[in-house]
Amino acid sequence: MISQFFILSSKGDPLIYKDFRGDSGGRDVAELFYRKLTGLPGDESPVVMHHHGRHFIHIRHSGLYLVVTTSENVSPFSLLELLSRLATLLGDYCGSLGEGTISRNVALVYELLDEVLDYGYVQTTSTEMLRNFIQTEAVVSKPFSLFDLSSVGLFGAETQQSKVAPSSAASRPVLSSRSDQSQKNEVFLDVVERLSVLIASNGSLLKVDVQGEIRLKSFLPSGSEMRIGLTEEFCVGKSELRGYGPGIRVDEVSFHSSVNLDEFESHRILRLQPPQGEVRLTVMRYQLSDDLPSPLPFRLFPSVQWDRGSGRLQVYLKLRCDLLSKSQALNVRLHLPLPRGVVSLSQELSSPEQKAELAEGALRWDLPRVQGGSQLSGLFQMDVPGPPGPPSHGLSTSASPLGLGPASLSFELPRHTCSGLQVRFLRLAFRPCGNANPHKWVRHLSHSDAYVIRI
Amino acid sequence: MPYLGSEDVVKELKKALCNPHIQADRLRYRNVIQRVIRYMTQGLDMSGVFMEMVKASATVDIVQKKLVYLYMCTYAPLKPDLALLAINTLCKDCSDPNPMVRGLALRSMCSLRMPGVQEYIQQPILNGLRDKASYVRRVAVLGCAKMHNLHGDSEVDGALVNELYSLLRDQDPIVVVNCLRSLEEILKQEGGVVINKPIAHHLLNRMSKLDQWGQAEVLNFLLRYQPRSEEELFDILNLLDSFLKSSSPGVVMGATKLFLILAKMFPHVQTDVLVRVKGPLLAACSSESRELCFVALCHVRQILHSLPGHFSSHYKKFFCSYSEPHYIKLQKVEVLCELVNDENVQQVLEELRGYCTDVSADFAQAAIFAIGGIARTYTDQCVQILTELLGLRQEHITTVVVQTFRDLVWLCPQCTEAVCQALPGCEENIQDSEVDCNSPLLLEEEKDMAVRDRGLFYYRLLLVGIDEVKRILCSPKSDPTLGLLEDPAERPVNSWASDFNTLVPVYGKAHWATISKCQGAERCDPELPKTSSFAASGPLIPEENKERVQELPDSGALMLVPNRQLTADYFEKTWLSLKVAHQQVLPWRGEFHPDTLQMALQVVNIQTIAMSRAGSRPWKAYLSAQDDTGCLFLTELLLEPGNSEMQISVKQNEARTETLNSFISVLETVIGTIEEIKS
């Protein structure tokens, strides 16, 4: 049971504060929370903190702190899940989650909280149930534009393509039940994978981990059955075998409780009865580790020359993109921590659209776009100051200087899934009366979670 | 907007709220009210416009109504007399044809939190319980709990309780769950809502109709149900099976806990469930949400305490990535330490070695200590890595490696040889660096350990028992087969099953003990260092043992706080003003080193105020200690010439026999052990 809920800006200003039970100190707890959080030593976890019989549990989301207090020994899993759900819900209703949108929509947020929690107990968090009760309309800062390129991330990646999905349409606020429904009928189905990889300094692969999700956003006015066909060779677990090829294999799958799996065993079809109106849900989650069907998207070949005597450090990085030649990676950024106090940088880059700079003790190499099959390189020279070591001898000659590496890459791979999983089709078993066919957007995207290469 | 003091703001808003032109324009009226709410959120005192807000509640605009009710619930405790004026409107709304309005009004009325409101809400609540709209029934059911708590310690209304029990059969799943919550609060004194067989099975059958929050909560309520037979038990477990596969981590963990508790007599069922929860836990460990990831890691460690091999094949999942926050990396390193086995030791050490040169010195230190921990089992590989690290000639690394070697030699005498062999080669390096002060320690025998460390060392030996201590200290060469402070025996699942899916694993058991003690005593200085930190050089004692360290001096709910050094003056004054609460004589023979005693006492948080020189007779020492409730213990130790006894006198500033006895037993243990050691 929750005593209080509040949202703080990244600077600790209270944006929302609600006391559900009136049993605890009052509103200065928000300030107390922020003080405790900022005063915490680095090795202690801020996730759960304690003060005078009260537990603070919080998540950070979009630069905001969403915090609950409770005096009971609650389930941390449920509470964190609730906080994430609240973040999604507020984002859905306000259009996006951020300091600006929250403070513009204070009334809406309170209205939502009032329906979601009563006396500190969760009542419902389902978007479509809440729609019946929410009366306030979201205040948005600017009108939606189909070609708004400013939104980044999942949908931003696609806008640079010729076949554009309306980038901001999927981030428009949920509309209350009484507002007019004249907008387009649209369904978004996204297969999103997060890739985390660790490569040893000798190039051997230490770890691959893919976390995937199929997300549905439906703005259809009337709901009836929806069928999602997945790759037929989709296998779950190490032992299952399907089709004649190597198959698409994942280790674990879980489905949203509303998914009907009658046709899953036979045809890999998910049936879904989305409730009426706007729906946002994660249809399926899956994960796989170690065996990827396709080569890794990037290989990095670093070579480091380090003259301890003069403090001269030369790093040559060659980056090869192993995607198919018709695919490409976007917003590629390489981050390489450097020894403390590195001062100068001279660079030679293999193409003009790249950029590299020294920032916060690290080298940042930006490659806006990398075509599959291509190879890019950069040569960086730096000076590492400090007392010149004795002429190198013994154990330290070969080693690169302390503090160099590991390199980490971040990127987005539009229209690519690392697991190979594809949505074959998305069928809607209904015709909205009088309206044109609904627009269906099926998109695939992989992005890096942690792609680390030891130097 | 120009900056206005809160008085000016209130004045301005008051004017706007009274302005008939604004009142006539729905949107403008609503906007002014929104501004009031916004200031309220920012912490400005808006109670000054209460009257105007009460007036604004009489409206057909439901958005405005909601805002006004929110306002009233916030300020009603400050303005109870004015809030009563709003009751009329609220009561009227409670019989509105629109169920949403009825529910809103009832919810707000029950949340007014002011004295005297009970008499007004009782009837609307009773009506609400029988409302045809489930939305209103939900509100009314929780309203019962609100009403009960408003009364304070009033007696339980039997009729209402019966009505709530019967509403457990309501069609609406949220009404059912709210009934459980409400009954739990109303019946708190009697131990909460009763889950008997019919109710338990009714709830189990309704589970699939509930949403994830309801499911998680019902799973928690079911923990208190005791199946009547083995057959029933397994029926229930079968029903619960599908919830282990839920996509909600809260439900999966709730179901896991219920399995663990129900199957407490069936270890194989418990193991089986822990195998099944592996997938969801690992998924949570690599979740996008750091917070969830952290909580999952804490639970992984909990499971590893009982099933050390449980996650060994998934060791890669616990490799750290560069961008993770510190507290997650530290947890992962701990997990890696605990799951290491013959198959993965090479890869795990390789990984940990990478962390040792991390830019963050704290993280590097944790990784080095972790390697030191693994060295107790895989000595050669680890010592080699540690030796190579010395070659980097980095001050912060060298210091920690030297410390790790020292700890290793102490804790794990069979490693001595490997360490000694490793050292000569890098002696030069150590002496080269600026921190050579520690190095001689390594190369000499235990008897020359620094005094402070010796105290620590003896104290740790106390944990293993007197006989082993004698063996180690009395034999010139340590027994190489003796594994000192090896990980304690695997703990049975049942020892922590009730802590699973609670905050206990997240805080750590030691920290949790402090917290619950604070809560019990209603007295707590949160700024005090955590008690676990008294195990001064942390890494020596892995988390597990820390808990044990704590348990030892802790018998009988005594918690001595560290670093409460009194001044000699203050001690003297207090000493003279108090009467002796306890006097005792312990056998004591021969010579000893007072420093050893002082250090051993210090580890259990007993400070030495003054002490005679070694060998002098009579020999005296004055000690002080303080527990977490502020109770002081002052002690005099006295050795008379020619006497083979140590006289102990203890004074206490609050007469509490129980804590006094605990304190004395701690003191006895320490003195007894020193005596044993030297004899």
Side-chain angles (χ1 to χ4, degrees):
Chain A
M1 154 245 293
I2 292 168
S3 295
Q4 291 144 315
F5 170 80
F6 45 92
I7 303 181
L8 300 185
S9 74
S10 52
K11 293 189 207 71
D13 307 319
L15 303 175
I16 296 293
Y17 169 85
K18 191 153 167 92
D19 187 343
F20 292 101
R21 300 186 57 94
D23 59 358
S24 37
R27 52 174 312 119
D28 26 327
V29 290
E31 200 195 316
L32 178 77
F33 163 80
Y34 192 72
R35 242 190 12 245
K36 264 187 102 71
L37 184 82
T38 43
L40 208 66
D43 53 347
E44 263 180 63
S45 139
V47 179
V48 177
M49 295 186 295
H50 175 259
H51 187 86
H52 282 263
R54 193 184 295 124
H55 307 284
F56 293 95
I57 300 171
H58 85 283
I59 62 166
R60 267 207 94 166
H61 203 289
S62 316
L64 303 175
Y65 297 98
L66 282 78
V67 194
V68 294
T69 71
T70 173
S71 53
E72 303 213 328
N73 189 6
V74 291
S75 154
F77 287 99
S78 290
L79 219 47
L80 289 176
E81 208 178 334
L82 175 66
L83 286 173
S84 313
R85 178 65 197 143
L86 276 173
T88 318
L89 211 53
L90 295 178
D92 281 356
Y93 272 90
C94 301
S96 66
L97 189 59
E99 202 176 323
T101 45
I102 293 295
S103 43
R104 269 194 296 277
N105 290 292
V106 169
L108 174 60
V109 175
Y110 279 122
E111 200 182 354
L112 268 167
L113 284 177
D114 210 27
E115 299 296 340
V116 170
L117 288 154
D118 188 6
Y119 210 37
Y121 295 111
V122 187
Q123 301 298 297
T124 179
T125 58
S126 120
T127 313
E128 67 276 3
M129 225 153 119
L130 287 168
R131 274 179 73 237
N132 303 319
F133 300 107
I134 301 305
Q135 307 284 323
T136 315
E137 310 258 334
V139 181
V140 281
S141 51
K142 51 182 188 242
F144 294 110
S145 145
L146 276 188
F147 301 102
D148 184 358
L149 296 180
S150 65
S151 78
V152 281
L154 173 54
F155 304 112
E158 295 265 326
T159 53
Q160 304 183 5
Q161 309 301 306
S162 50
K163 274 197 275 176
V164 234
S167 66
S168 54
S171 64
R172 72 186 172 207
V174 167
L175 296 157
S176 71
S177 50
R178 295 178 310 164
S179 65
D180 81 300
Q181 301 276 354
S182 62
Q183 18 129 355
K184 268 199 242 162
N185 300 317
E186 285 170 324
V187 182
F188 297 83
L189 191 67
D190 298 317
V191 183
V192 186
E193 294 188 348
R194 290 187 297 129
L195 179 64
S196 83
V197 167
L198 180 63
I199 299 172
S201 49
N202 62 7
S204 68
L205 189 58
L206 292 177
K207 161 185 151 175
V208 195
D209 218 8
V210 175
Q211 306 281 327
E213 277 183 7
I214 300 184
R215 298 179 192 154
L216 174 76
K217 284 198 180 185
S218 154
F219 297 93
L220 298 174
S222 68
S224 82
E225 197 172 77
M226 185 180 279
R227 295 168 81 231
I228 303 168
L230 306 179
T231 320
E232 287 197 75
E233 294 82 28
F234 183 67
C235 311
V236 181
K238 298 265 182 253
S239 52
E240 199 178 12
L241 248 173
R242 265 170 193 271
Y244 302 99
I248 309 293
R249 190 178 295 281
V250 301
D251 299 337
E252 292 261 344
V253 178
S254 67
F255 300 96
H256 189 266
S257 54
S258 65
V259 176
N260 179 331
L261 296 172
D262 290 352
E263 286 183 76
F264 184 69
E265 270 312 302
S266 51
H267 296 102
R268 293 308 191 214
I269 291 171
L270 307 176
R271 290 206 336 242
L272 200 59
Q273 193 93 44
Q276 196 158 351
E278 296 137 7
V279 187
R280 295 148 197 251
L281 51 89
T282 303
V283 178
M284 178 174 120
R285 278 202 181 95
Y286 57 95
Q287 43 179 319
L288 79 155
S289 6
D290 295 337
D291 298 318
L292 273 197
S294 51
L296 285 176
F298 287 103
R299 300 308 301 242
L300 181 73
F301 305 93
S303 69
V304 177
Q305 281 181 8
W306 162 231
D307 182 358
R308 201 181 183 146
S310 66
R312 173 59 57 92
L313 174 67
Q314 178 175 304
V315 179
Y316 179 67
L317 299 174
K318 197 163 73 179
L319 186 68
R320 193 178 76 203
C321 178
D322 287 341
L323 295 172
L324 296 176
S325 59
K326 58 177 196 286
S327 310
Q328 58 178 353
L330 299 176
N331 304 327
V332 182
R333 169 175 289 181
L334 184 137
H335 178 94
L336 179 69
L338 297 173
R340 213 165 287 169
V342 161
V343 276
S344 63
L345 171 71
S346 78
Q347 56 188 47
E348 283 168 49
L349 303 173
S350 61
S351 72
E353 59 168 10
Q354 306 170 25
K355 248 184 16 217
E357 59 176 346
L358 279 180
E360 291 161 12
L363 166 70
R364 215 173 67 193
W365 185 19
D366 283 313
L367 310 117
R369 178 181 309 239
V370 179
Q371 203 66 37
S374 66
Q375 195 155 294
L376 302 153
S377 63
L379 177 67
F380 308 96
Q381 295 199 337
M382 287 151 278
D383 281 323
V384 186
S392 15
H393 72 279
L395 283 154
S396 53
T397 36
S398 60
S400 48
L402 198 76
L404 179 72
S408 56
L409 276 172
S410 63
F411 50 81
E412 288 167 32
L413 310 174
R415 293 199 295 277
H416 180 86
T417 53
C418 299
S419 64
L421 178 67
Q422 300 278 325
V423 171
R424 272 185 298 143
F425 60 78
L426 168 63
R427 283 189 199 128
L428 308 171
F430 68 95
R431 288 265 167 279
C433 44
N435 250 328
N437 268 341
H439 291 267
K440 297 182 285 185
W441 304 97
V442 177
R443 299 171 297 184
H444 298 88
L445 177 101
S446 297
H447 62 102
S448 55
D449 183 28
Y451 200 96
V452 178
I453 302 133
R454 298 260 165 76
I455 302 272
Chain B
M1 200 202 308
Y3 177 78
L4 294 171
S6 90
E7 274 169 41
D8 297 333
V9 173
V10 171
K11 215 179 282 168
E12 189 212 322
L13 286 170
K14 202 172 201 159
K15 224 167 85 192
L17 285 169
C18 294
N19 184 336
H21 295 294
I22 291 180
Q23 286 179 357
D25 183 339
R26 215 175 78 177
L27 277 180
R28 277 178 73 196
Y29 202 12
R30 197 198 278 181
N31 270 333
V32 177
I33 291 166
Q34 283 210 29
R35 277 180 57 205
V36 174
I37 301 290
R38 196 164 300 148
Y39 286 126
M40 185 179 93
T41 303
Q42 285 163 9
L44 266 66
D45 181 9
M46 285 288 125
S47 61
V49 293
F50 203 97
M51 201 57 218
E52 289 70 24
M53 291 295 269
V54 170
K55 278 184 197 142
S57 69
T59 170
V60 287
D61 180 1
I62 196 152
V63 176
Q64 180 169 330
K65 237 187 220 310
K66 284 186 175 184
L67 291 171
V68 173
Y69 288 161
L70 170 70
Y71 172 92
M72 292 202 296
C73 292
T74 312
Y75 289 115
L78 293 178
K79 303 255 169 169
D81 42 336
L82 288 177
L84 283 178
L85 296 175
I87 294 275
N88 249 340
T89 321
L90 285 163
C91 281
K92 210 167 80 217
D93 283 353
C94 281
S95 43
D96 194 276
N98 182 349
M100 191 156 69
V101 175
R102 293 204 296 276
L104 172 67
L106 187 56
R107 187 170 57 219
S108 308
M109 205 149 86
C110 296
S111 308
L112 281 178
R113 290 202 284 267
M114 54 180 199
V117 78
Q118 299 99 306
E119 54 177 305
Y120 299 99
I121 57 178
Q122 189 158 18
Q123 197 51 46
I125 287 178
L126 291 176
N127 296 342
L129 290 176
R130 299 181 194 108
D131 201 289
K132 59 184 186 301
S134 57
Y135 182 69
V136 183
R137 292 201 301 279
R138 293 172 196 167
V139 170
V141 167
L142 284 183
C144 298
K146 295 180 191 172
M147 182 165 66
H148 177 83
N149 290 345
L150 273 174
H151 272 289
D153 52 345
S154 73
E155 72 242 44
V156 173
D157 177 348
L160 193 66
V161 168
N162 282 342
E163 182 135 13
L164 287 174
Y165 269 117
S166 65
L167 271 171
L168 284 173
R169 281 189 287 274
D170 197 277
Q171 282 306 302
D172 183 74
I174 300 176
V175 171
V176 174
V177 180
N178 280 355
C179 277
L180 290 171
R181 294 157 164 167
S182 203
L183 283 167
E184 179 76 2
E185 295 212 13
I186 295 172
L187 299 173
K188 204 174 202 163
Q189 305 292 336
E190 283 97 278
V193 56
V194 176
I195 307 287
N196 57 21
K197 188 169 176 180
I199 293 180
H201 286 263
H202 169 71
L203 291 175
L204 281 164
N205 291 327
R206 293 299 298 274
M207 278 289 277
S208 57
K209 298 274 180 290
L210 304 176
D211 66 1
Q212 49 171 319
W213 317 111
Q215 287 176 351
E217 213 146 332
V218 169
L219 286 169
N220 199 33
F221 278 112
L222 286 171
L223 287 172
R224 66 181 68 161
Y225 177 65
Q226 194 76 49
R228 299 284 178 274
S229 66
E230 208 169 290
E231 197 187 346
E232 189 193 354
L233 167 72
F234 283 97
D235 283 347
I236 293 178
L237 294 186
N238 278 334
L239 279 172
L240 289 174
D241 202 79
S242 59
F243 300 103
L244 288 173
K245 293 180 214 134
S246 166
S247 62
S248 147
V251 174
V252 175
M253 299 308 155
T256 306
K257 180 174 184 175
L258 186 53
F259 259 87
L260 293 178
I261 297 282
L262 285 178
K264 55 177 174 288
M265 310 300 283
F266 303 93
H268 65 282
V269 177
Q270 289 182 324
T271 313
D272 188 51
V273 168
L274 291 174
V275 169
R276 292 186 53 192
V277 79
K278 210 149 84 166
L281 260 183
L282 286 170
C285 284
S286 38
S287 153
E288 255 172 316
S289 152
R290 292 164 167 185
E291 293 85 8
L292 182 60
C293 175
F294 177 75
V295 167
L297 286 169
C298 294
H299 280 79
V300 165
R301 288 188 60 195
Q302 183 73 275
I303 294 176
L304 281 173
H305 288 175
S306 297
L307 306 167
H310 203 60
F311 291 93
S312 293
S313 53
H314 300 278
Y315 65 93
K316 286 178 184 174
K317 293 266 183 189
F318 304 103
F319 285 4
C320 303
S321 72
Y322 184 73
S323 53
E324 277 166 344
H326 218 65
Y327 59 89
I328 290 197
K329 287 184 180 171
L330 293 178
Q331 282 295 320
K332 285 190 168 175
V333 167
E334 294 283 346
V335 171
L336 284 175
C337 262
E338 283 162 38
L339 55 65
V340 76
N341 67 7
D342 291 354
E343 273 102 72
N344 60 29
V345 62
Q346 205 54 47
Q347 290 85 337
V348 168
L349 284 176
E350 193 79 14
E351 180 70 14
L352 286 173
R353 192 226 306 260
Y355 305 158
C356 294
T357 52
D358 195 274
V359 274
S360 152
D362 288 346
F363 183 46
Q365 174 176 330
I368 296 170
F369 285 146
I371 295 177
I374 297 173
R376 286 189 245 163
T377 324
Y378 300 96
T379 309
D380 291 342
Q381 288 118 302
C382 295
V383 169
Q384 194 194 338
I385 292 179
L386 292 171
T387 314
E388 280 168 24
L389 288 173
L390 289 175
L392 292 174
R393 301 148 68 103
Q394 288 293 315
E395 190 181 326
H396 67 284
I397 294 179
T398 310
T399 314
V400 183
V401 171
V402 167
Q403 204 177 334
T404 308
F405 274 148
R406 189 195 58 202
D407 292 352
L408 196 58
V409 172
W410 287 357
L411 286 181
C412 206
Q414 70 267 33
C415 302
T416 315
E417 203 178 333
V419 173
C420 288
Q421 276 174 0
L423 280 173
C426 38
E427 206 174 335
E428 188 192 338
N429 278 324
I430 301 173
Q431 280 165 359
D432 246 15
S433 69
E434 294 156 45
V435 281
D436 53 350
C437 54
N438 268 329
S439 56
L441 292 179
L442 281 163
L443 307 168
E444 288 168 43
E445 286 292 291
E446 279 119 310
K447 61 178 189 277
D448 292 319
M449 285 171 192
V451 172
R452 174 188 157 276
D453 294 323
R454 187 166 44 189
L456 267 176
F457 179 45
Y458 286 158
Y459 178 66
R460 283 178 191 122
L461 294 180
L462 301 185
L463 297 173
V464 245
I466 303 304
D467 290 339
E468 267 139 312
V469 172
K470 263 194 200 159
R471 271 170 62 203
I472 295 167
L473 290 177
C474 299
S475 61
K477 278 252 175 224
S478 300
D479 179 359
T481 57
L482 183 69
L484 190 56
L485 279 190
E486 274 293 287
D487 283 349
E490 288 157 27
R491 298 191 206 170
V493 172
N494 286 332
S495 69
W496 50 261
S498 57
D499 293 338
F500 194 82
N501 193 26
T502 68
L503 298 176
V504 181
V506 185
Y507 280 113
K509 203 155 188 164
H511 192 185
W512 179 259
T514 342
I515 289 172
S516 24
K517 225 162 258 174
C518 288
Q519 268 165 328
E522 296 269 316
R523 260 186 82 170
C524 165
D525 182 0
E527 306 314 324
L528 274 184
K530 278 195 300 179
T531 25
S532 62
S533 63
F534 76 50
S537 69
L540 255 181
I541 306 182
E543 202 61 53
E544 299 259 293
N545 299 342
K546 267 187 209 162
E547 288 161 22
R548 294 193 357 177
V549 167
Q550 196 136 41
E551 279 155 22
L552 187 92
D554 192 9
S555 54
L558 176 77
M559 175 80 63
L560 296 179
V561 292
N563 305 326
R564 283 298 150 110
Q565 186 82 50
L566 302 182
T567 62
D569 279 353
Y570 183 79
F571 181 90
E572 198 181 330
K573 240 189 339 209
T574 323
W575 178 259
L576 292 175
S577 70
L578 292 172
K579 288 213 171 65
V580 174
H582 180 89
Q583 213 152 16
Q584 187 178 349
V585 176
L586 287 177
W588 191 269
R589 288 175 313 269
E591 276 314 307
F592 72 107
H593 210 287
D595 288 351
T596 313
L597 179 63
Q598 180 177 354
M599 292 312 147
L601 287 167
Q602 182 140 27
V603 247
V604 292
N605 293 326
I606 300 176
Q607 317 294 336
T608 310
I609 304 290
M611 199 181 257
S612 319
R613 264 178 297 119
S616 55
R617 284 294 180 273
W619 179 90
K620 271 188 183 181
Y622 288 99
L623 318 172
S624 84
Q626 189 172 11
D627 78 357
D628 57 343
T629 64
C631 182
L632 268 180
F633 302 93
L634 307 182
T635 309
E636 183 194 56
L637 306 179
L638 174 65
L639 283 175
E640 295 280 14
N643 207 336
S644 61
E645 283 168 344
M646 166 140 6
Q647 293 176 28
I648 303 173
S649 319
V650 181
K651 298 185 177 185
Q652 196 183 15
N653 70 343
E654 294 169 41
R656 294 218 309 264
T657 336
E658 212 174 289
T659 52
L660 181 65
N661 290 339
S662 317
F663 175 76
I664 287 163
S665 79
V666 171
L667 199 60
E668 268 179 78
T669 319
V670 175
I671 292 173
T673 316
I674 299 287
E675 166 73 6
E676 292 272 346
I677 287 171
K678 69 186 181 54
S679 60

